[in-house]
Amino acid sequence: MTPVAAGFLGVSLLFGLLGLGMPIGFAMGLVGAFGFAMLLTFKAALIKVGVVAFDLSTNYAIGTVPLFLFMAHILFASGIGRDLYDFAARCLGHRRGGLAMATIGASAGFASVNASSLATTATMGLVALPEMRKHGYSNALAAGSVAAGGTIGSLIPPSGMFIIYGILTETSIGDMFAAGIVPGVLLALFYMAVIAIRCRINPAAGPAGPRFSWRERWDGLKRTGDVILLFFLVMGGIIWGWFTPTEAGAMGAFGALLIAGLRGRLGFSEVREAVYDTLKTTGMIFGILFGALVFNAFVTVTTIPHHVVGWVTGSGLPALAVLLLILLVYFFLGMILDASAMMTLTVPLFFPLIMGLDLWVVGEGAKAVFFGVLVVRMTEIALITPPVGMNVYVLSGVARDIPLSTMFRGTAAFVLADVVHVALLLALPALILWLPGL
C-alpha cells in the first residue's frame, strides 16, 4: 500500500471511530500510532509516541492552559459573570434591545477571563436569559444573543483554541493572543449592530428597559473594575513584553485568587472545586493535543500535505481562491464536527498549504497568525450553526422550554454578521496583525 493510500485509509478510519463515539484525542492517537507503525516500523512508532509525550509534557507554553483555566474557575466563584452583565445592563438596558446588547458586552468581558465559549454561553444563559425573558424579549432574540455572544470566547484572549493552534503550528501564543483582541471587539460591535437592526424592524422583540443614573452605573463599574484591571494587566503584559503567556497565566491566577478572597467568596470548597475542574479540563486538552500530534506525524509520513501543496500550486488558482475554499471547508465541517476536532484534524493539512501560498500578508510569522485567527473564527461560527451548534445545545440545557428550532432561528442573523466579519478580516489583515506588530 502506498503512503498516500494509507493516509486516506487512516483518515477514513478516524472518521469512523469518531462516528462510533470514540473521544477525538484517543481516536487520533490510535490511528496515528498504528498508521505510523504500518508505514515505518512498530519500534519507530513507539519511539515517536514517546517523543511526542515527552515534548508535550515538557513544553513551557502548555503551562498556559491550566493557569488560565484556574484563573477562570476562581473568578466563577467571585460572581464576575453576573457583575459584568449587571454593569452592561445599566449602561445599555434603556435602549431597544439593550439587554441583548448588554449580553454581548458581558460575554466579551467574561470571555476575557475564562477562555471558553461554552462556559461563557452557560454562564450568560443562567444570568442574562431570565432577565431578557422577564422584560418581554422574544425567545429567538434572547437565545440567539446568548449563544452568539459565547462565540466571542475563542477570540478574546486567553483563548484555548489559540493555545492549541500555537502548539500545533509552533506559532507564538503571545502573538495569537494579541491578534485576537481587535477582531473580538469588532465582532462584539457587529453583534450589537445586528440586535439594533432587528429591534428597529421589530421593536417588540427587544423592548427598552428603565434608564439608570450615572451614579448607579458607576456603582456597577466599581464591582467589575478589579477584574477589568486584571485583564488589562495580563494582556498588556503579554503585548508589551513584560512577561510570557505562561507567566501571564500565573499572574492572572494569583490576581483571581486575590480578587475572590477580597470579595469574601473564596472558601476551601470553592478552591477544591476550581482545582478539580482545572485538572479535568487540562487533562482533556492534553489528550486532544497528544492525539493530534501523533496523528500529525502519521499524516506527514503519508506525504499527503506535500501532494496537496503540489497540486494546489500547480493548479494555477489564485491565493485568495484557495484561502476561500479552505474557509468554506471549515464552514461545512462545522456542521458535523466540534471546534477542537476541526482544528486538530485540518490544521496539519491546511497549514503547510497556506504557508506556501503567495498571500497579501508579508512574512511567515504574520501569515501563520493571520491564518490562525481565521481558523478560530470559522470554528466559532460552527458553534451556532445546525446541526452541531454546541453553544446552542449548551444553552438548551439551561433553557429547556425554548425549542432548538427557535434558538437556531435566533442565531441566523448573527451567522450573517459572522460572514461579513470574516470578509472584513480578509480585506484588512491589519485588524489582526496590528497588535502583534507592536
Side-chain angles (χ1 to χ4, degrees), residues 12 80 99 115 135 137 139 175 179 266 302 304 330 339 361 375 386 395 403 411 414:
S12 302
I80 184 58
L99 291 181
H135 285 81
Y137 277 60
N139 286 337
D175 285 350
L266 189 64
T302 65
I304 288 179
Y330 276 106
V361 177
V375 168
L395 186 60
T411 62
F414 294 105

Side-chain angles (χ1 to χ4, degrees), residues 33-51:
F34 276 100
F36 202 89
M38 182 176 67
L39 291 177
L40 298 177
T41 63
F42 179 78
K43 182 179 180 180
L46 193 62
I47 293 173
K48 185 63 180 178
V49 169
V51 169

Side-chain angles (χ1 to χ4, degrees), residues 144-195:
S145 60
V146 172
T151 65
I152 304 173
S154 286
L155 282 179
I156 301 291
S159 164
M161 297 301 289
F162 281 156
I163 294 172
I164 293 175
Y165 177 86
I167 292 173
L168 288 176
T169 62
E170 299 183 356
T171 303
S172 166
I173 294 175
D175 285 350
M176 294 304 304
F177 281 178
I181 295 176
V182 173
V185 173
L186 187 64
L187 181 62
L189 295 176
F190 270 47
Y191 283 171
M192 290 182 182
V194 166
I195 294 168

Side-chain angles (χ1 to χ4, degrees), residues 351-436:
F351 184 75
L353 175 58
I354 289 296
M355 297 306 290
L357 291 178
D358 185 19
L359 293 178
W360 51 99
V361 177
V362 180
E364 289 193 357
K367 195 184 296 185
V369 170
F370 178 66
F371 181 60
V373 172
L374 291 177
V375 168
V376 170
R377 186 77 279 274
M378 295 306 296
T379 59
E380 289 296 292
I381 295 175
L383 293 176
I384 56 174
T385 55
V388 185
M390 290 303 298
N391 276 13
V392 177
Y393 284 98
V394 167
L395 186 60
S396 177
V398 175
R400 297 182 181 276
D401 59 322
I402 302 179
L404 278 174
S405 58
T406 300
M407 292 184 179
F408 278 119
R409 191 171 70 248
T411 62
F414 294 105
V415 173
L416 181 61
D418 286 328
V419 174
V420 176
H421 181 250
V422 171
L424 188 61
L425 296 180
L426 284 170
L428 299 173
L431 294 172
I432 296 174
L433 300 175
W434 172 62
L435 277 180

Side-chain angles (χ1 to χ4, degrees), residues 201-214:
I201 296 173
N202 180 18
R211 180 184 292 271
F212 289 87
S213 67
W214 284 105

